[in-house]
Structures are given as structure tokens and as C-alpha cells.
Amino acid sequence: MNGNGGSVSTLRVDLGDRGYDIHMGEGVLESAGQRMLPLLAQDRVIIVSDENVAPLDLGTLDQSLDQAGVEHASAILPAREGAKRLDALRKLSAPVRNARGEPGLTGGAPR
């Protein structure tokens, strides 16, 4: 059970030292912040989504992270295969750089 009364199943992806759990079920996003808090080296994360999924679930995840006291930023990528390129990496790194006060990337090199 999760904090919202829903049932959550856990699937273990066994990759030795790189293994991880996938939590599935009703209300899993609402409890995501509390679930991940003990696993984080620092209490901040970046959320990577695409423009199809973000409107459906990002608000719920944002709220869960806020309630758990986890600092977070989001990067929303286009919902297409071509988005997996260097320009997408730049977009992904922007929220992290902004949070740290670091300069951006231009042509793969620091400005």
C-alpha cells in the first residue's frame, strides 16, 4: 500500500551494483517524493519528460517532491526520436546549470 491507499507493485531490475526498483500502481506519483528521498545523495533532482507525458503527470510529481522537501527542476523534451541529440542534452543541462549558477553550453563548450 502507498500513502494514498493504492496498491503498489515493485519490480526489481537486477543489474548487480546498478540494479534498481520500478514501482508501479495507483498513486505511485503522489508518493514518489517520499519513496525517493532516502535514496538520494542530495535532496535535489531533475525530472526529464516529454511533451506528451509532462502535461499528464508532471504537476503530480512536482507536488510530491515539494511535499517531501526535494528541490527539483524539469526539462521537457519534444516527443520524437530526433530529440535525442546534442540540442536535447543542452536543454537537459540548462535546469541543472541554472540551479548551480553555471554558464550554459554553446557548441559543446562552456561559454
Side-chain angles (χ1 to χ4, degrees):
M1 298 293 270
N2 66 25
N4 296 308
S7 178
V8 175
S9 298
T10 302
L11 171 67
R12 179 72 184 164
V13 178
D14 192 7
L15 298 173
D17 292 345
R18 297 179 306 125
Y20 56 92
D21 293 331
I22 299 173
H23 301 282
M24 304 164 283
E26 187 176 335
V28 74
L29 286 179
E30 289 87 347
S31 62
Q34 288 300 321
R35 286 180 183 279
M36 69 174 63
L37 194 57
L39 305 173
L40 298 174
Q42 298 180 355
D43 61 349
R44 59 183 164 176
V45 298
I46 182 168
I47 303 163
V48 180
S49 188
D50 72 24
E51 58 195 8
N52 289 336
V53 176
L56 302 172
D57 295 324
L58 187 57
T60 302
L61 183 55
D62 282 342
Q63 188 174 36
S64 177
L65 294 170
D66 287 342
Q67 289 172 350
V70 177
E71 197 178 323
H72 54 93
S74 302
I76 311 302
L77 300 178
R80 57 183 166 76
E81 191 62 29
K84 300 173 185 173
R85 299 192 180 184
L86 184 57
D87 59 330
L89 175 61
R90 287 189 189 109
K91 185 171 184 171
L92 282 175
S93 65
V96 175
R97 289 190 322 272
N98 291 340
R100 293 181 179 172
E102 296 175 0
L105 295 177
T106 323
R111 283 195 246 180

